[in-house]
Structure formats: C-alpha cells, structure tokens
Amino acid sequence: MSAPVPSRWGPRWSRWVGRFLARVLWRTEVRGRGNVPATGAAIVVCNHVGLIDGPVVHGVIPRGSHFLIREGMMSGPLGTILNAAQQITVRESGREALAQGLAVLRRGDVIGVFPEGTRGGGTAEAVHGGAAWLAIQSGAPVVPTAIVGSRRTGESVNVWPRPGRRLLVAFGEPVVLTPPDDVRGGRAKQAWAAERLAETLRDQVTRTLDTTDLELPLDDPRRETREEKDHV
C-alpha cells in the first residue's frame, strides 16, 4: 500500500510559523525570492548547517513546501508539529519518501531537500542523490539555496540561536537537470544529475558567501567524526 500524498493544508499554516521564526525571532535577510517559480513543481535544495535551517527556509519560501526529513526528527513534540505540517518522513532506504515527494511535484507543488543529509559545515562537499532522482523523474526545476548564520564555529549542530541573530537565505536561479544525449542509462543519468546538482549547490553557497560578512562554521562535526573513525 502506497503512502498518502501529503496534504497542502500543512504548509499553509506551518510556513507562517517558519516565517515568524525567520523574520521576528531572528533577523533573516532573504535574497532571490523571485527565483522560486510562482506556480508549478519546484525542488528547493539547500545546504545544511544547523537545527533551525528547515523551519527558516520553509518559512521564507514564497509558497507552501514539503521537506524530506529524516525519521529521527519525526518523534516527540517536534515530530508532532512536523507531521501536522505534512512534512515527509525519510525512513530506511527513503523510497517511500521519494515516492511521496514525486507525487507532490506531479501535483505542481514544492519539495524541499537538504541533500547533504545531516547538519554540518554547510559546504555541500558531498550530497545524496534523492533530490537528483526527483528532478529527473519529475522534470521540475531545482532552486539551489544557501543558508548562512544558523550555526557558528564551535556551536552544536543542535543549537537554537539567541533571538536577533542575523541569518541569510539566498535562492539561486532555477536549473533543470536534463542529461545530455550521450549520457544513457538510468544509473548514468542519475550520476550525472547528482553531480550537476552538487556543483550547482556549491556554486550558490560560494556566491552567497562572497557577498556577505556572515560565514559558515569552520568546524564540521560530520567530517571530524569520520576522521576519528579513520584513525581508530
């Protein structure tokens, strides 16, 4: 039995919660809102730095959106809110979540993805292929998005910043991931799209950093954990 398609009603109220957090609790500058298509399917892909990235980006996207969120976040009081907001739970292989995401896109709505998979340095050095798969299957444009300021060097990836912190969310120009004719076969197209998406997101992050005094954290707990394991 397939999972139900998320309802549009959740984002209709929850984006205003995110907007309050972004605009009132914190001081979020938003650039490139016009790059998010006003109608039709779209995939917002964003780097991932801290705990508040999801609600902030959800709040400043000029339309309702459904984000793919890992299962560990979907429990307790926060999980209750996220489920009521009709966000999409990523379980195990993620196939069910991708199917739900594709259904949302085919309905003409917005999907949000943090393709790095977890919070860290936000440099988009490595991304997972789910967003690329959605782009290929749906034909929807990808909007590369950068968030800066939600976590500073030395802060936990679970930090809830003090009120008034400056944040920046910058939406880049949408890109349609259409593999060239010489790229054949499903796996080759998927690999091409994943690499193109990663490059596009990294470019957006770099361009954003070049135009602000805000910075990404210099530490990346994910990389440090991997390095520790490599030396055990």
Side-chain angles (χ1 to χ4, degrees), residues 74-213:
M74 303 298 277
S75 61
L78 177 60
T80 299
I81 296 172
L82 293 173
N83 280 298
Q86 294 292 289
Q87 303 305 290
I88 298 173
T89 304
V90 179
R91 299 182 178 88
E92 298 176 348
S93 68
R95 290 182 180 179
E96 182 178 283
L98 290 175
Q100 289 180 289
L102 184 58
V104 168
L105 293 170
R106 288 176 172 168
R107 188 177 67 193
D109 291 329
V110 178
I111 284 292
V113 184
F114 292 101
E116 292 172 281
T118 187
R119 303 181 289 273
T123 55
E125 293 176 5
V127 302
H128 298 292
W133 184 88
L134 287 171
I136 291 176
Q137 296 300 317
S138 67
V142 171
V143 182
T145 304
I147 184 168
V148 189
S150 57
R151 186 175 76 84
R152 297 174 179 171
T153 302
E155 290 182 333
S156 165
V157 292
N158 298 314
V159 67
W160 187 263
R162 291 182 178 179
R165 175 175 291 189
R166 288 175 55 219
L167 309 175
L168 170 60
V169 176
F171 298 103
E173 295 185 4
V175 176
V176 177
L177 300 180
T178 303
D181 293 338
D182 60 345
V183 177
R184 300 174 182 176
R187 290 186 179 180
K189 290 180 179 180
Q190 170 71 21
W192 179 90
E195 182 56 34
R196 179 77 177 105
L197 183 148
E199 291 174 356
T200 301
L201 181 54
R202 285 194 293 266
D203 288 347
Q204 177 63 16
V205 172
T206 299
R207 284 194 298 269
T208 301
L209 292 173
D210 287 343
T211 59
T212 181
D213 61 341

